[in-house]
């Protein structure tokens, strides 16, 4: 079993070097030693899982005349066994809608950087946002990189010259102001999802983490909840899917405030009033009156209706997480502490994406340091 530089077990075939990079290595079925270095542990584990699976299944038996479509089908089949359902869905959607129409019929060896750029350019012309174009680039890069790793092509044509930041700008998600938050909290009283909305404002959980929260994940004595899974309803197959948190850092403990504890107690009483709760849902916290979880998208749909009725700008569920983070920073919480509570692997994600300084907070800070700014 490999270990990191602090001595923590990382799993068979993975270790951390003195320069903090992670090393994955294994011996393939032909006795050849294969290894690769990564800056992130998650990427390292993913490569090792993919490579070992491909080695177990034998050579893909594809020669250099294989077309992009056939290689994609081989690649996505392997990915389905090693990555999260959400990631697979994104890969499939971007390939079928954007990649396949441009290069799907080409031979893999004939794909050049300008071919990859054509995909991005076409998406920009069709009005896609830069973030969606970037997702297509990620899918394309990963698919082609796997071909490089399997010696099907010599190098990845989706290189640094292929630009994805050419689409429509995405409006930045802003946290609710204190005034908006007060109006929202007051306006949702009595709503069927009141407890869920308030709970996100107290914990900063992602929607899928809240939906997948179980009573067994909550330690009332220690006043803490443990994030161990996420859950979402997959309309395409008509069933609930349970999966791991978004990343390794997603596995975390979140301290509970007095208000969060009270929300949980109210929810427990609410669940007790359900006429029937199927055995599979008895341990889940947030159930509707029918005794089942609420489908993830239903929360956003209700939010839009509530915002219109309350008279505040529409926002999505994720803004409640933004708002929690912003209130924490405004109250003086250390960014590193907030990072662990939100389950981010990188502190820059916490600061750049989730923490917004409101106009009111900026005014308070300027008043506080005004004396230090005087030079006369």
């Amino acid at each position: 079993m490999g270990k990191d530089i602090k001595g923590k077990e990382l799993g068979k075939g993975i270790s951390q070097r003195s320069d903090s990079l992670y090393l994955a290595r294994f011996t393939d079925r032909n006795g050849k030693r294969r290894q690769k270095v990564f800056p992130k542990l998650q990427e390292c584990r993913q490569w090792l899982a993919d490579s070992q699976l491909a080695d177990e299944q034998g050579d893909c038996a594809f020669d250099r005349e294989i077309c992009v479509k056939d290689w994609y089908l081989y690649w996505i089949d392997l990915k389905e066994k090693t990555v999260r359902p959400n990631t697979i869905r994104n890969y499939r959607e971007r390939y079928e809608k954007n990649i396949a129409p441009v290069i799907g019929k080409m031979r893999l060896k004939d794909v050049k950087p300008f071919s990859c750029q054509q995909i991005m350019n076409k998406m920009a012309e069709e009005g896609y946002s830069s973030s969606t174009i970037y997702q297509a680039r990620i899918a394309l890069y990963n698919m082609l990189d796997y071909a490089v790793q399997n010696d099907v092509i010599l190098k990845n044509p989706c290189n640094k010259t292929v630009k994805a930041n050419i689409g429509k700008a995405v409006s930045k998600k802003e946290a609710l102001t204190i005034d908006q938050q007060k109006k929202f909290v007051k306006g949702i009283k009595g709503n069927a999802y009141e407890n869920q909305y308030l709970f996100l404002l107290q914990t900063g959980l992602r929607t899928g983490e809240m939906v997948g929260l179980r009573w067994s994940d909550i330690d009332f004595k220690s006043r803490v909840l443990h994030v161990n899974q996420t859950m979402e309803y997959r309309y395409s197959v008509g069933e609930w899917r349970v999966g791991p948190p978004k990343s390794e850092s997603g596995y975390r403990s979140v301290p509970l405030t007095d208000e969060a504890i009270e929300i949980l107690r109210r929810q427990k009483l609410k669940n007790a009033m359900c006429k029937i709760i199927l055995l599979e849902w008895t341990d889940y916290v947030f159930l509707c009156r029918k005794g089942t979880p609420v489908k993830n998208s239903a929360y956003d749909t209700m939010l839009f209706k509530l915002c219109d009725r309350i008279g505040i700008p529409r926002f999505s569920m994720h803004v409640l997480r933004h708002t929690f983070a912003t209130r924490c920073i405004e109250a003086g919480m250390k960014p590193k502490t907030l990072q662990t509570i939100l389950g981010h692997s990188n502190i820059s994600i916490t600061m750049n994406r989730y923490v917004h300084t409101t106009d009111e907070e900026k005014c308070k800070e300027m008043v506080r340091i005004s004396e230090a700014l005087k030079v006369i």
Side-chain angles (χ1 to χ4, degrees):
M1 300 287 282
K3 296 182 179 181
D4 64 13
I5 54 180
K6 295 182 180 179
K8 181 181 177 182
E9 295 286 352
L10 296 175
K12 186 177 180 181
I14 298 178
S15 59
Q16 189 176 27
R17 307 191 317 187
S18 58
D19 59 2
S20 296
L21 294 175
Y22 294 95
L23 174 67
R25 66 175 75 181
F26 75 101
T27 303
D28 65 23
R29 59 197 179 89
N30 296 318
K32 181 181 178 181
R33 192 75 172 270
R34 297 179 60 187
Q35 65 180 42
K36 192 173 182 181
V37 176
F38 299 87
K40 295 183 179 180
L41 178 58
Q42 187 177 5
E43 295 174 352
C44 187
R45 285 176 171 162
Q46 188 65 63
W47 178 84
L48 183 61
D50 286 347
S51 299
Q52 288 179 323
L53 180 61
D55 183 58
E56 290 171 6
Q57 294 188 350
D59 294 331
C60 61
F62 292 143
D63 59 28
R64 293 183 180 277
E65 299 303 310
I66 182 176
C67 72
V68 172
K69 178 183 177 182
D70 289 334
W71 179 254
Y72 162 76
L73 293 174
Y74 172 74
W75 170 77
I76 200 68
D77 182 62
L78 290 175
K79 281 293 181 181
E80 284 184 331
K81 299 177 177 64
T82 59
V83 302
R84 291 161 52 90
N86 275 357
T87 304
I88 289 296
R89 186 170 69 246
N90 287 337
Y91 284 162
R92 285 189 177 279
E93 187 171 354
R94 295 283 66 83
Y95 176 80
E96 293 168 4
K97 289 187 176 181
N98 310 117
I99 299 173
V102 180
I103 66 170
K105 296 180 181 180
M106 291 178 63
R107 289 183 302 180
L108 196 61
K109 70 175 185 178
D110 292 335
V111 177
K112 305 298 180 185
F114 73 82
S115 310
C116 300
Q117 189 63 60
Q118 283 181 322
I119 297 170
M120 313 303 149
N121 293 346
K122 189 170 186 293
M123 291 182 70
E125 291 170 1
E126 292 173 352
Y128 282 92
S129 67
S130 289
S131 61
T132 304
I133 297 175
Y134 182 64
Q135 289 176 6
R137 191 189 187 283
I138 291 174
L140 180 62
Y141 176 86
N142 287 341
M143 179 180 71
L144 296 173
D145 185 62
Y146 197 65
V148 174
Q149 299 303 322
N150 284 272
D151 299 322
V152 178
I153 54 177
L154 294 177
K155 56 184 178 180
N156 193 334
C158 189
N159 57 29
K160 293 181 179 180
T161 66
V162 180
K163 306 301 180 183
N165 189 27
I166 57 175
K168 292 194 303 185
V170 180
S171 58
K172 194 174 182 181
K173 290 185 175 69
E174 297 288 349
L176 299 178
T177 64
I178 292 177
D179 183 56
Q180 288 173 334
Q181 185 174 343
K182 287 180 178 179
K183 288 181 179 178
F184 175 70
V185 170
K186 182 179 180 181
I188 64 173
K189 287 189 179 299
N191 184 267
Y193 306 150
E194 177 186 4
N195 289 342
Q196 289 93 315
Y197 295 142
L198 294 179
F199 195 70
L200 293 195
L201 286 170
Q202 290 294 314
T203 61
L205 294 185
R206 299 177 176 93
T207 304
E209 294 170 344
M210 179 196 71
V211 174
L213 188 65
R214 298 160 296 186
W215 293 111
S216 56
D217 296 323
I218 299 170
D219 185 341
F220 282 97
K221 185 177 180 180
S222 300
R223 299 171 63 88
V224 65
L225 69 82
H226 304 285
V227 179
N228 295 310
Q229 66 176 30
T230 62
M231 190 167 74
E232 68 166 344
Y233 186 79
R234 298 291 300 279
Y235 286 93
S236 59
V237 291
E239 63 182 34
W240 288 95
R241 289 283 178 87
V242 176
K246 190 173 183 179
S247 65
E248 287 293 324
S249 302
Y251 290 97
R252 64 195 189 279
S253 298
V254 179
L256 295 170
T257 62
D258 289 341
E259 188 168 343
I261 293 288
E262 179 58 31
I263 292 168
L264 290 171
R265 287 174 176 160
R266 290 202 305 266
Q267 186 63 33
K268 189 175 278 286
L269 290 174
K270 186 176 180 180
N271 289 357
M273 297 173 64
C274 296
K275 294 181 179 180
I276 300 176
I277 299 181
L278 298 178
L279 184 62
E280 62 181 311
W281 304 125
T282 53
D283 193 32
Y284 283 82
V285 176
F286 294 105
L287 304 177
C288 66
R289 54 188 176 82
K290 295 180 180 180
T292 63
V294 179
K295 295 173 182 176
N296 307 53
S297 60
Y299 287 115
D300 276 323
T301 301
M302 178 61 74
L303 263 183
F304 297 156
K305 293 179 181 178
L306 287 168
C307 288
D308 291 344
R309 182 168 61 80
I310 295 169
I312 58 177
R314 288 186 175 189
F315 62 87
S316 66
M317 285 287 281
H318 211 67
V319 170
L320 296 177
R321 179 170 159 88
H322 281 254
T323 302
F324 165 82
T326 301
R327 294 291 97 84
C328 288
I329 289 294
E330 290 173 351
M333 180 180 285
K334 296 178 180 178
K336 194 65 180 176
T337 302
L338 180 60
Q339 176 193 346
T340 60
I341 290 176
L342 291 175
H344 291 155
S345 58
N346 192 311
I347 189 65
S348 64
I349 298 175
T350 309
M351 298 307 297
N352 296 337
R353 297 185 183 178
Y354 291 87
V355 181
H356 309 284
T357 302
T358 62
D359 289 338
E360 181 180 357
E361 192 65 19
K362 284 187 286 188
C363 289
K364 287 181 180 179
E365 287 297 301
M366 289 299 289
V367 170
R368 185 177 65 81
I369 56 91
S370 59
E371 287 298 319
L373 297 177
K374 292 181 178 179
V375 293
I376 300 176

